[in-house]
Amino acid sequence: MERAATILLCLMALAFVTSGALFALADNPVNLLIPDIGTRATGTLLPDDDSLAGLYLRPRHPATWILLFGLWLMLIASTLRQLWLIPSGRYLALADVALLIAALAAGTVWPWVAVQAPLAGFIICVTMLLALIAAAKRKDSDGRLERSPVIGAFIGWATVLTFGAFATFLSNATMLPIELAAVVGAMLTCGAAIAIQLWLPRNAAYTLTVMFALLASAATTIDANPPLAVIAVLSISALTFLLVRVTT
């Protein structure tokens, strides 16, 4: 049972990376779902979008590409490691595997859903984040996931995407300018990151990932949305103090 679950986890990780690569590299993701709909789509993750989620999922700056490729490479390396450990029987607990599979499944489908349905996309993204946190903090776990840099980076990436997805939904639901909604999302990202890092005191990779994501967003939006860039830099400063606290 554990062997089959581990193999399924590895396949889901590959599906997650494949889905992310297709979404990031496609000229227009909507056309992959509904041919010829083009820019008539009502979603806000299109190539010309300035939402936080769009910045991370469809990078327009080298720093964001580094973040995305780094996450993909870490997940692929972790997948290969899990396959390598199968003969030795060093399996993760089934509950841990189930939560990770749920998170990867949500991360695989949510960008495509969010293109057309921002609220549904936000809910799926929240599911991904909560499943990852639950896996890292499960009381009966052996602690491997809580200390894992891969899980820390994945949760950090999921955090910035979750509040990026919220900003997208907020803009669509209230007609708030996307620039202002992105600022709100960045502020919430900082607050949530502080709370989550205090729950994961042994995983500095989490805060490092969030800080790098905020740095990438600042570099991307410094000309188009200066307030967002300022909020991102201030958030990085606050998270730096937190990182010092949890590592000393």
Side-chain angles (χ1 to χ4, degrees):
M1 186 68 174
E2 290 85 355
R3 178 189 178 94
T6 300
I7 292 175
L8 179 59
L9 175 62
C10 295
L11 292 175
M12 187 56 65
L14 293 176
F16 173 85
V17 173
T18 301
S19 173
L22 284 174
F23 194 88
L25 298 173
D27 290 336
N28 192 328
V30 180
N31 283 336
L32 297 180
L33 295 175
I34 309 174
D36 300 325
I37 195 171
T39 56
R40 289 182 288 112
T42 59
T44 55
L45 293 180
L46 296 177
D48 58 350
D49 179 52
D50 289 322
S51 70
L52 283 180
L55 295 180
Y56 300 127
L57 292 171
R58 298 181 57 78
R60 287 173 284 167
H61 190 278
T64 321
W65 277 116
I66 291 172
L67 175 69
L68 199 54
F69 273 119
L71 178 67
W72 292 342
L73 290 175
M74 291 176 73
L75 286 174
I76 291 173
S78 180
T79 295
L80 295 176
R81 183 174 182 274
Q82 290 299 319
L83 291 174
W84 180 265
L85 291 176
I86 283 180
S88 66
R90 295 176 59 192
Y91 301 110
L92 290 169
L94 284 176
D96 291 337
V97 173
L99 288 168
L100 292 176
I101 289 175
L104 288 167
T108 298
V109 304
W110 91 263
W112 307 93
V113 173
V115 167
Q116 293 292 322
L119 176 58
F122 171 59
I123 293 173
I124 295 173
C125 201
V126 169
T127 301
M128 173 177 63
L129 177 60
L130 293 180
L132 288 171
I133 294 175
K137 295 298 293 182
R138 201 174 66 84
K139 292 183 178 180
D140 296 333
S141 178
D142 59 10
R144 271 187 288 172
L145 293 181
E146 184 177 5
R147 299 187 299 269
S148 169
V150 178
I151 296 300
F154 198 177
I155 297 176
W157 184 81
T159 300
V160 296
L161 279 181
T162 296
F163 290 98
F166 173 75
T168 300
F169 163 68
L170 182 65
S171 177
N172 277 264
T174 65
M175 302 305 292
L176 195 70
I178 189 64
E179 295 82 5
L180 183 56
V183 170
V184 173
M187 295 174 65
L188 293 175
T189 298
C190 180
I194 292 173
I196 294 173
Q197 181 63 87
L198 292 176
W199 292 339
L200 302 171
R202 295 185 291 174
N203 202 325
Y206 171 78
T207 295
L208 289 173
T209 302
V210 174
M211 290 170 62
F212 192 86
L214 291 172
L215 177 64
S217 66
T220 304
T221 61
I222 186 64
D223 293 326
N225 191 355
L228 174 59
V230 171
I231 293 296
V233 172
L234 292 176
S235 299
I236 291 171
S237 301
L239 291 173
T240 300
F241 287 108
L242 177 64
L243 183 63
V244 172
R245 174 180 174 180
V246 300
T247 55
T248 57

